[in-house]
Coordinates of all heavy atoms in Angstrom, one line a residue:
M161 N 0.9 -1.2 0.0 CA 0.0 0.0 0.0 C 0.9 1.2 0.0 O 1.8 1.3 0.8 CB -0.9 0.0 1.2 CG -1.8 1.2 1.3 SD -2.9 1.1 2.8 CE -4.2 0.1 2.2
S162 N 0.6 2.2 -0.9 CA 1.4 3.4 -0.9 C 1.2 4.3 0.3 O 0.1 4.3 0.9 CB 1.2 4.1 -2.2 OG -0.1 4.7 -2.2
A163 N 2.2 5.1 0.6 CA 2.1 6.0 1.7 C 0.9 7.0 1.6 O 0.4 7.4 2.6 CB 3.4 6.7 2.0
E164 N 0.6 7.4 0.4 CA -0.5 8.4 0.1 C -1.8 7.9 0.6 O -2.7 8.6 0.9 CB -0.6 8.8 -1.4 CG 0.7 9.3 -2.0 CD 1.6 8.2 -2.4 OE1 1.2 7.3 -3.2 OE2 2.8 8.2 -2.1
K165 N -2.0 6.5 0.6 CA -3.3 6.0 0.9 C -3.5 5.7 2.4 O -4.6 5.5 2.9 CB -3.5 4.6 0.2 CG -3.7 4.8 -1.3 CD -3.9 3.5 -1.9 CE -4.1 3.6 -3.4 NZ -4.3 2.4 -4.1
R166 N -2.4 5.9 3.2 CA -2.5 5.6 4.6 C -3.2 6.8 5.3 O -3.0 8.0 5.0 CB -1.1 5.5 5.2 CG -0.4 4.2 4.7 CD 0.7 3.9 5.6 NE 1.5 2.8 5.0 CZ 1.2 1.5 5.0 NH1 0.1 1.1 5.5 NH2 2.0 0.6 4.5
R167 N -4.1 6.5 6.2 CA -4.8 7.5 7.0 C -4.1 7.9 8.3 O -4.3 9.0 8.8 CB -6.2 7.0 7.3 CG -7.1 6.9 6.1 CD -8.5 6.6 6.5 NE -8.5 5.2 7.1 CZ -9.6 4.6 7.6 NH1 -10.7 5.3 7.7 NH2 -9.5 3.4 8.1
H168 N -3.3 7.0 8.8 CA -2.6 7.2 10.1 C -1.1 6.9 9.9 O -0.7 6.0 9.2 CB -3.2 6.3 11.2 CG -4.7 6.4 11.3 ND1 -5.3 7.5 11.8 CD2 -5.7 5.5 11.0 CE1 -6.6 7.4 11.8 NE2 -6.8 6.2 11.2
L169 N -0.3 7.6 10.7 CA 1.1 7.4 10.7 C 1.4 6.1 11.4 O 0.8 5.7 12.4 CB 1.8 8.5 11.6 CG 3.2 8.4 11.9 CD1 4.1 8.5 10.6 CD2 3.6 9.5 12.9
R170 N 2.3 5.3 10.8 CA 2.7 4.0 11.4 C 4.1 4.2 12.1 O 5.0 4.9 11.6 CB 2.9 3.0 10.3 CG 1.7 2.5 9.7 CD 2.0 1.4 8.7 NE 0.7 0.9 8.1 CZ 0.1 -0.2 8.6 NH1 0.6 -0.9 9.6 NH2 -1.0 -0.6 8.0
L171 N 4.1 3.7 13.3 CA 5.4 3.8 14.1 C 5.9 2.3 14.3 O 5.2 1.4 14.6 CB 5.1 4.4 15.4 CG 4.5 5.8 15.4 CD1 4.0 6.2 16.8 CD2 5.5 6.7 14.8
P172 N 7.2 2.2 14.1 CA 7.8 0.9 14.3 C 7.9 0.6 15.8 O 8.7 1.1 16.5 CB 9.2 1.0 13.7 CG 9.5 2.5 13.8 CD 8.2 3.2 13.7
V173 N 7.0 -0.3 16.2 CA 7.0 -0.7 17.6 C 7.0 -2.2 17.7 O 6.1 -2.9 17.1 CB 5.8 -0.1 18.4 CG1 5.7 -0.7 19.7 CG2 5.7 1.4 18.3
E174 N 8.0 -2.8 18.4 CA 8.0 -4.2 18.6 C 7.4 -4.6 19.9 O 7.9 -4.1 20.9 CB 9.4 -4.8 18.4 CG 9.5 -6.3 18.4 CD 10.9 -6.8 18.1 OE1 11.5 -6.3 17.1 OE2 11.3 -7.7 18.8
A175 N 6.4 -5.4 19.9 CA 5.7 -5.8 21.1 C 5.3 -7.2 21.0 O 5.2 -7.8 19.9 CB 4.5 -4.9 21.4
Q176 N 5.2 -7.9 22.2 CA 4.7 -9.3 22.1 C 3.2 -9.2 22.0 O 2.5 -8.5 22.7 CB 5.1 -10.1 23.4 CG 4.8 -11.5 23.3 CD 5.5 -12.3 24.3 OE1 5.8 -11.8 25.4 NE2 5.8 -13.6 24.0
V177 N 2.6 -10.0 21.0 CA 1.2 -10.0 20.7 C 0.6 -11.4 20.9 O 1.3 -12.4 20.4 CB 0.9 -9.5 19.3 CG1 -0.5 -9.5 18.9 CG2 1.6 -8.1 19.1
F178 N -0.5 -11.5 21.5 CA -1.2 -12.8 21.7 C -2.5 -12.7 20.9 O -3.3 -11.8 21.1 CB -1.5 -13.0 23.2 CG -0.3 -13.0 24.0 CD1 0.2 -11.9 24.6 CD2 0.4 -14.2 24.2 CE1 1.3 -11.9 25.3 CE2 1.6 -14.2 25.0 CZ 2.0 -13.0 25.6
I179 N -2.8 -13.6 20.0 CA -4.0 -13.6 19.2 C -4.8 -14.9 19.5 O -4.3 -16.0 19.3 CB -3.7 -13.5 17.7 CG1 -2.9 -12.2 17.4 CG2 -5.0 -13.5 16.9 CD1 -2.4 -12.1 16.0
E180 N -6.0 -14.7 20.0 CA -6.9 -15.9 20.2 C -7.4 -16.4 18.9 O -8.3 -15.7 18.3 CB -8.0 -15.5 21.2 CG -8.8 -16.8 21.7 CD -9.8 -16.4 22.7 OE1 -10.6 -15.5 22.4 OE2 -9.8 -17.0 23.7
L181 N -7.0 -17.6 18.5 CA -7.4 -18.1 17.2 C -8.7 -18.9 17.4 O -9.5 -19.0 16.5 CB -6.3 -19.0 16.6 CG -5.0 -18.3 16.4 CD1 -3.9 -19.3 16.0 CD2 -5.1 -17.2 15.4
V182 N -8.8 -19.6 18.5 CA -10.0 -20.4 18.8 C -10.3 -20.2 20.3 O -9.5 -20.3 21.1 CB -9.7 -22.0 18.6 CG1 -11.0 -22.8 19.0 CG2 -9.3 -22.2 17.2
S183 N -11.6 -19.7 20.5 CA -12.0 -19.5 21.9 C -12.7 -20.7 22.5 O -13.4 -21.4 21.7 CB -12.9 -18.3 22.0 OG -14.0 -18.4 21.2
P184 N -12.5 -20.9 23.8 CA -13.2 -22.1 24.4 C -14.7 -21.8 24.5 O -15.2 -20.7 24.5 CB -12.5 -22.2 25.8 CG -12.1 -20.8 26.1 CD -11.7 -20.2 24.7
Q185 N -15.5 -22.9 24.6 CA -16.9 -22.8 24.9 C -17.2 -22.1 26.2 O -16.4 -22.3 27.1 CB -17.6 -24.2 24.9 CG -17.6 -24.9 23.6 CD -18.6 -24.3 22.6 OE1 -19.5 -23.6 23.0 NE2 -18.4 -24.6 21.3
A186 N -18.2 -21.3 26.3 CA -18.6 -20.6 27.5 C -18.8 -21.7 28.6 O -19.5 -22.7 28.4 CB -19.8 -19.8 27.3
G187 N -18.2 -21.4 29.8 CA -18.3 -22.3 30.9 C -17.4 -23.6 30.8 O -17.4 -24.4 31.7
S188 N -16.6 -23.7 29.8 CA -15.8 -24.9 29.6 C -14.5 -24.6 30.4 O -14.0 -23.6 30.5 CB -15.5 -25.1 28.1 OG -14.5 -26.0 28.0
A189 N -13.9 -25.8 30.8 CA -12.6 -25.7 31.5 C -11.5 -25.8 30.5 O -10.3 -25.6 30.8 CB -12.5 -26.8 32.5
E190 N -11.8 -26.1 29.2 CA -10.8 -26.2 28.2 C -10.2 -24.8 27.8 O -10.9 -23.8 28.0 CB -11.4 -26.9 27.0 CG -11.8 -28.3 27.2 CD -12.4 -28.9 25.9 OE1 -12.1 -28.4 24.8 OE2 -13.1 -29.9 26.0
S191 N -9.0 -24.8 27.4 CA -8.4 -23.6 26.9 C -8.6 -23.4 25.4 O -8.8 -24.4 24.7 CB -7.0 -23.5 27.3 OG -6.3 -24.6 26.7
G192 N -8.5 -22.2 24.9 CA -8.6 -22.0 23.5 C -7.3 -22.1 22.9 O -6.3 -22.7 23.5
K193 N -7.1 -21.6 21.6 CA -5.8 -21.7 20.9 C -5.4 -20.3 20.7 O -6.1 -19.5 20.2 CB -6.0 -22.4 19.6 CG -4.7 -22.5 18.8 CD -5.0 -23.3 17.5 CE -3.7 -23.3 16.7 NZ -3.8 -23.8 15.4
V194 N -4.2 -20.0 21.2 CA -3.6 -18.7 21.2 C -2.3 -18.7 20.4 O -1.4 -19.6 20.7 CB -3.4 -18.1 22.6 CG1 -2.7 -16.7 22.5 CG2 -4.7 -17.9 23.3
A195 N -2.1 -17.8 19.5 CA -0.8 -17.7 18.8 C -0.1 -16.5 19.4 O -0.6 -15.5 19.7 CB -1.1 -17.4 17.3
V196 N 1.2 -16.7 19.6 CA 2.1 -15.7 20.1 C 3.0 -15.2 19.0 O 3.6 -16.0 18.3 CB 3.0 -16.3 21.3 CG1 3.9 -15.2 21.8 CG2 2.1 -16.8 22.4
C197 N 3.0 -13.9 18.8 CA 3.8 -13.3 17.7 C 4.3 -12.0 18.1 O 4.2 -11.6 19.3 CB 2.9 -13.2 16.4 SG 1.4 -12.4 16.6
R198 N 4.9 -11.2 17.2 CA 5.5 -9.9 17.5 C 4.9 -8.9 16.5 O 4.6 -9.2 15.4 CB 7.0 -9.9 17.3 CG 7.6 -11.0 18.2 CD 8.8 -10.7 19.0 NE 9.0 -9.4 19.6 CZ 8.8 -9.2 20.9 NH1 8.2 -10.2 21.7 NH2 9.0 -8.1 21.5
S199 N 4.7 -7.7 17.0 CA 4.3 -6.6 16.2 C 5.4 -6.1 15.4 O 6.6 -6.2 15.7 CB 3.6 -5.5 17.0 OG 4.6 -4.9 17.8
V200 N 5.1 -5.5 14.2 CA 6.0 -4.8 13.3 C 5.9 -3.3 13.4 O 6.9 -2.6 13.6 CB 5.8 -5.3 11.9 CG1 6.8 -4.5 10.9 CG2 5.9 -6.8 11.7
D201 N 4.7 -2.9 13.4 CA 4.4 -1.5 13.5 C 2.9 -1.3 14.0 O 2.1 -2.2 14.0 CB 4.6 -0.7 12.3 CG 3.8 -1.1 11.1 OD1 2.6 -1.4 11.2 OD2 4.4 -1.2 10.0
V202 N 2.7 -0.1 14.6 CA 1.4 0.2 15.1 C 1.0 1.6 14.6 O 1.8 2.4 14.2 CB 1.3 0.3 16.6 CG1 1.6 -1.1 17.2 CG2 2.2 1.3 17.2
S203 N -0.3 1.8 14.5 CA -0.9 3.1 14.1 C -2.1 3.3 14.9 O -2.6 2.4 15.6 CB -1.1 3.2 12.6 OG -2.2 2.4 12.2
M204 N -2.7 4.5 14.8 CA -4.0 4.8 15.4 C -5.1 3.8 14.9 O -6.0 3.5 15.6 CB -4.4 6.2 15.2 CG -5.5 6.6 16.1 SD -5.8 8.4 16.1 CE -6.7 8.6 14.6
G205 N -4.9 3.4 13.7 CA -6.0 2.5 13.1 C -5.6 1.1 12.9 O -6.4 0.3 12.4
G206 N -4.4 0.6 13.4 CA -4.1 -0.8 13.2 C -2.8 -1.2 13.8 O -2.1 -0.4 14.4
L207 N -2.6 -2.5 13.7 CA -1.4 -3.2 14.3 C -1.0 -4.2 13.2 O -1.8 -5.0 12.8 CB -1.8 -3.9 15.6 CG -0.8 -4.8 16.2 CD1 0.3 -4.0 16.8 CD2 -1.5 -5.6 17.3
R208 N 0.3 -4.2 12.8 CA 0.8 -5.2 11.9 C 1.7 -6.1 12.6 O 2.5 -5.7 13.4 CB 1.5 -4.5 10.7 CG 2.0 -5.6 9.7 CD 2.5 -4.9 8.5 NE 3.5 -3.9 8.7 CZ 4.6 -3.9 7.9 NH1 4.8 -4.7 6.9 NH2 5.5 -2.9 8.1
V209 N 1.4 -7.4 12.4 CA 2.2 -8.5 13.1 C 2.7 -9.5 12.1 O 2.2 -9.6 11.0 CB 1.4 -9.2 14.2 CG1 0.8 -8.3 15.2 CG2 0.2 -10.0 13.5
Y210 N 3.8 -10.1 12.5 CA 4.3 -11.3 11.7 C 3.8 -12.5 12.5 O 4.0 -12.6 13.7 CB 5.8 -11.4 11.7 CG 6.4 -10.4 10.6 CD1 7.5 -9.7 10.9 CD2 5.8 -10.4 9.3 CE1 8.0 -8.8 10.0 CE2 6.4 -9.5 8.4 CZ 7.5 -8.8 8.7 OH 8.0 -8.0 7.8
I211 N 3.1 -13.4 11.9 CA 2.5 -14.6 12.5 C 2.8 -15.8 11.5 O 2.8 -15.6 10.3 CB 1.0 -14.5 12.8 CG1 0.5 -15.6 13.6 CG2 0.2 -14.2 11.5 CD1 -0.9 -15.4 14.1
D212 N 3.1 -17.0 12.1 CA 3.5 -18.1 11.3 C 2.4 -18.9 10.7 O 2.6 -20.0 10.3 CB 4.5 -19.0 12.1 CG 3.8 -19.6 13.3 OD1 2.6 -19.3 13.6 OD2 4.4 -20.4 14.0
Q213 N 1.2 -18.4 10.6 CA 0.1 -19.1 10.0 C -0.9 -18.0 9.4 O -0.9 -16.9 9.7 CB -0.7 -19.9 11.0 CG -1.2 -19.1 12.2 CD -1.6 -20.0 13.3 OE1 -2.6 -20.7 13.2 NE2 -0.9 -20.0 14.4
A214 N -1.6 -18.5 8.4 CA -2.6 -17.7 7.7 C -3.8 -17.4 8.6 O -4.2 -18.2 9.4 CB -3.1 -18.3 6.4
L215 N -4.3 -16.2 8.5 CA -5.5 -15.8 9.2 C -6.6 -15.5 8.2 O -6.3 -15.1 7.0 CB -5.3 -14.6 10.1 CG -4.2 -14.7 11.2 CD1 -4.0 -13.4 11.9 CD2 -4.6 -15.8 12.2
T216 N -7.9 -15.6 8.6 CA -9.0 -15.4 7.7 C -9.3 -13.9 7.6 O -9.6 -13.3 8.6 CB -10.2 -16.2 8.1 OG1 -9.9 -17.6 8.2 CG2 -11.4 -16.0 7.2
V217 N -9.2 -13.3 6.4 CA -9.5 -11.9 6.2 C -11.0 -11.7 6.6 O -11.9 -12.5 6.3 CB -9.3 -11.5 4.8 CG1 -9.8 -10.1 4.6 CG2 -7.8 -11.6 4.5
G218 N -11.2 -10.7 7.4 CA -12.6 -10.4 8.0 C -12.9 -11.0 9.3 O -13.8 -10.6 10.0
A219 N -12.0 -11.9 9.8 CA -12.2 -12.5 11.1 C -12.0 -11.4 12.2 O -11.1 -10.6 12.1 CB -11.2 -13.7 11.3
I220 N -12.9 -11.5 13.2 CA -12.7 -10.7 14.4 C -12.1 -11.5 15.5 O -12.6 -12.5 15.9 CB -14.1 -10.1 14.9 CG1 -14.8 -9.5 13.8 CG2 -13.9 -9.2 16.1 CD1 -14.2 -8.2 13.2
L221 N -10.9 -11.1 16.0 CA -10.2 -11.9 16.9 C -9.8 -11.1 18.2 O -9.7 -9.8 18.1 CB -8.8 -12.4 16.3 CG -9.0 -13.2 15.0 CD1 -7.6 -13.4 14.3 CD2 -9.6 -14.5 15.3
Q222 N -9.7 -11.8 19.3 CA -9.3 -11.1 20.6 C -7.8 -11.0 20.5 O -7.1 -12.0 20.1 CB -9.7 -12.0 21.7 CG -11.2 -12.1 21.9 CD -11.9 -10.8 22.1 OE1 -11.5 -9.9 22.9 NE2 -13.0 -10.5 21.4
V223 N -7.2 -9.9 20.9 CA -5.8 -9.6 20.8 C -5.3 -9.0 22.2 O -6.0 -8.2 22.7 CB -5.5 -8.6 19.7 CG1 -4.0 -8.3 19.6 CG2 -6.0 -9.2 18.4
G224 N -4.2 -9.5 22.6 CA -3.5 -8.9 23.7 C -2.1 -8.4 23.3 O -1.5 -9.1 22.5
V225 N -1.8 -7.2 23.7 CA -0.5 -6.6 23.3 C 0.3 -6.2 24.5 O -0.2 -5.5 25.4 CB -0.7 -5.4 22.4 CG1 0.7 -4.9 21.9 CG2 -1.6 -5.8 21.2
E226 N 1.5 -6.7 24.7 CA 2.4 -6.3 25.8 C 3.4 -5.3 25.2 O 4.5 -5.7 24.7 CB 3.1 -7.5 26.4 CG 2.1 -8.4 27.1 CD 2.8 -9.6 27.8 OE1 4.0 -9.8 27.6 OE2 2.1 -10.2 28.7
F227 N 3.1 -4.0 25.3 CA 4.1 -3.0 24.8 C 5.3 -2.9 25.8 O 5.1 -3.0 27.0 CB 3.4 -1.6 24.7 CG 2.4 -1.6 23.5 CD1 1.1 -1.6 23.8 CD2 2.9 -1.5 22.2 CE1 0.2 -1.5 22.7 CE2 2.0 -1.4 21.2 CZ 0.6 -1.4 21.4
P228 N 6.4 -2.6 25.2 CA 7.6 -2.3 26.1 C 7.3 -1.1 27.0 O 6.6 -0.2 26.6 CB 8.7 -1.9 25.1 CG 8.2 -2.4 23.8 CD 6.8 -2.4 23.8
E229 N 7.7 -1.2 28.2 CA 7.5 -0.1 29.2 C 6.2 0.0 29.8 O 5.9 0.7 30.7 CB 7.9 1.3 28.6 CG 9.2 1.3 27.8 CD 10.4 1.4 28.7 OE1 10.3 2.0 29.8 OE2 11.5 0.8 28.3
A230 N 5.2 -0.8 29.2 CA 3.8 -0.7 29.8 C 3.8 -1.7 31.0 O 4.4 -2.7 31.0 CB 2.8 -1.2 28.7
T231 N 2.9 -1.3 32.0 CA 2.8 -2.1 33.2 C 1.7 -3.2 33.0 O 1.8 -4.2 33.7 CB 2.5 -1.2 34.4 OG1 1.3 -0.5 34.1 CG2 3.6 -0.3 34.7
V232 N 0.8 -3.0 32.1 CA -0.3 -4.0 31.9 C -0.5 -4.1 30.4 O -0.3 -3.2 29.6 CB -1.6 -3.5 32.6 CG1 -1.5 -3.5 34.1 CG2 -2.1 -2.2 32.1
P233 N -0.9 -5.4 30.0 CA -1.2 -5.6 28.6 C -2.4 -4.8 28.1 O -3.3 -4.5 28.9 CB -1.4 -7.1 28.5 CG -1.0 -7.7 29.8 CD -1.0 -6.6 30.8
L234 N -2.5 -4.5 26.9 CA -3.7 -3.9 26.2 C -4.5 -5.1 25.6 O -3.9 -5.8 24.8 CB -3.2 -2.9 25.2 CG -4.3 -2.3 24.3 CD1 -5.3 -1.4 25.2 CD2 -3.7 -1.5 23.2
Y235 N -5.7 -5.2 25.9 CA -6.6 -6.2 25.4 C -7.6 -5.5 24.5 O -8.2 -4.5 24.9 CB -7.3 -7.0 26.5 CG -6.3 -7.8 27.3 CD1 -6.0 -7.4 28.6 CD2 -5.7 -8.9 26.9 CE1 -5.1 -8.1 29.4 CE2 -4.8 -9.6 27.6 CZ -4.5 -9.2 28.9 OH -3.7 -9.9 29.7
L236 N -7.8 -6.1 23.3 CA -8.7 -5.5 22.3 C -9.2 -6.5 21.3 O -8.7 -7.7 21.3 CB -8.0 -4.3 21.6 CG -6.6 -4.7 21.0 CD1 -6.7 -4.9 19.5 CD2 -5.7 -3.5 21.3
A237 N -10.2 -6.2 20.6 CA -10.7 -7.0 19.5 C -10.2 -6.4 18.2 O -10.2 -5.1 18.1 CB -12.2 -7.1 19.5
G238 N -9.8 -7.2 17.2 CA -9.3 -6.6 16.0 C -9.9 -7.4 14.8 O -10.1 -8.6 14.9
E239 N -10.0 -6.7 13.7 CA -10.4 -7.4 12.4 C -9.2 -7.6 11.6 O -8.4 -6.7 11.4 CB -11.4 -6.5 11.7 CG -11.9 -7.1 10.4 CD -12.8 -6.2 9.6 OE1 -13.1 -5.1 10.0 OE2 -13.2 -6.7 8.5
V240 N -9.1 -8.8 11.0 CA -8.0 -9.1 10.1 C -8.4 -8.4 8.8 O -9.4 -8.7 8.1 CB -7.9 -10.7 9.8 CG1 -6.8 -10.9 8.8 CG2 -7.6 -11.4 11.1
R241 N -7.6 -7.4 8.4 CA -7.9 -6.7 7.2 C -7.1 -7.3 6.0 O -7.6 -7.2 4.8 CB -7.4 -5.2 7.4 CG -8.1 -4.5 8.5 CD -9.6 -4.4 8.3 NE -10.0 -3.7 7.1 CZ -10.4 -2.5 7.0 NH1 -10.5 -1.8 8.1 NH2 -10.6 -1.9 5.8
W242 N -6.0 -7.8 6.2 CA -5.3 -8.5 5.1 C -4.2 -9.5 5.7 O -3.9 -9.3 6.8 CB -4.6 -7.5 4.1 CG -3.6 -6.5 4.8 CD1 -3.9 -5.3 5.3 CD2 -2.2 -6.7 5.0 NE1 -2.8 -4.7 5.8 CE2 -1.7 -5.5 5.6 CE3 -1.3 -7.7 4.7 CZ2 -0.4 -5.4 5.9 CZ3 0.0 -7.5 5.0 CH2 0.5 -6.4 5.6
C243 N -3.9 -10.5 4.9 CA -2.9 -11.5 5.3 C -2.2 -11.9 4.1 O -2.8 -12.3 3.1 CB -3.6 -12.6 6.0 SG -2.5 -13.9 6.7
R244 N -0.9 -11.9 4.1 CA -0.1 -12.4 3.0 C 1.1 -13.2 3.4 O 1.6 -12.8 4.5 CB 0.3 -11.3 2.0 CG 1.2 -10.3 2.6 CD 1.6 -9.3 1.6 NE 2.6 -8.4 2.2 CZ 2.5 -7.0 2.1 NH1 1.5 -6.5 1.5 NH2 3.4 -6.3 2.7
P245 N 1.6 -14.1 2.7 CA 2.8 -14.8 3.1 C 4.1 -13.9 3.0 O 4.1 -13.0 2.3 CB 3.0 -15.9 2.0 CG 1.9 -15.7 1.0 CD 1.1 -14.6 1.4
D246 N 5.0 -14.2 3.9 CA 6.3 -13.5 3.9 C 7.1 -13.9 2.7 O 7.4 -15.1 2.5 CB 7.0 -13.8 5.2 CG 8.3 -13.1 5.4 OD1 8.8 -12.5 4.4 OD2 8.8 -13.1 6.5
P247 N 7.4 -13.0 1.8 CA 8.1 -13.3 0.6 C 9.5 -13.9 0.9 O 10.0 -14.7 0.1 CB 8.2 -12.0 -0.2 CG 7.8 -11.0 0.7 CD 7.1 -11.6 1.8
G248 N 10.1 -13.6 2.0 CA 11.4 -14.2 2.4 C 11.3 -15.6 2.7 O 12.3 -16.3 2.8
L249 N 10.1 -16.2 3.0 CA 10.0 -17.6 3.3 C 9.6 -18.5 2.2 O 9.5 -19.7 2.3 CB 8.9 -17.8 4.5 CG 9.3 -17.0 5.8 CD1 8.1 -17.2 6.7 CD2 10.6 -17.6 6.3
E250 N 9.3 -17.9 1.0 CA 8.9 -18.7 -0.1 C 10.1 -19.3 -0.9 O 11.1 -18.8 -0.9 CB 8.0 -17.8 -1.1 CG 6.8 -17.4 -0.4 CD 5.9 -16.5 -1.3 OE1 6.4 -15.9 -2.3 OE2 4.7 -16.4 -1.1

């Protein structure tokens, strides 16, 4: 995406990110499936991460972010806007 189309400034911030891929049934003692990855950059409108698996575009996922210097993680819901393979791994 070209810089002219961006609505928000992106800042290079590396943080540990937890993405809930599968949530447990309500009231279940089972745990869900969580992917641990790292952020590449953040903006007011988004968060870009490197993750070792494909995500479904349009999926709404629970996300936890542990920013450097922060005392508590930030928990939010996010929509997968795009997903593409890392060209360096092909």
Side-chain angles (χ1 to χ4, degrees):
M161 179 181 275
S162 69
E164 303 84 51
K165 293 183 181 179
R166 297 201 188 280
R167 292 186 293 175
H168 306 290
L169 174 68
R170 288 184 178 263
L171 300 173
V173 175
E174 188 172 313
Q176 189 163 29
V177 179
F178 303 89
I179 302 174
E180 185 178 56
L181 303 173
V182 178
S183 59
Q185 292 286 343
S188 170
E190 294 181 21
S191 60
K193 181 178 177 187
V194 175
V196 180
C197 54
R198 303 223 43 97
S199 66
V200 177
D201 58 44
V202 298
S203 71
M204 191 168 82
L207 171 71
R208 182 167 54 138
V209 301
Y210 282 136
I211 185 169
D212 63 358
Q213 57 193 293
L215 300 176
T216 303
V217 173
I220 307 295
L221 303 171
Q222 298 297 315
V223 179
V225 184
E226 291 183 347
F227 287 106
E229 313 283 327
T231 57
V232 295
L234 173 66
Y235 296 105
L236 48 104
E239 178 183 2
V240 178
R241 299 298 301 259
W242 56 271
C243 185
R244 67 175 181 230
D246 184 344
L249 297 177
E250 294 179 341

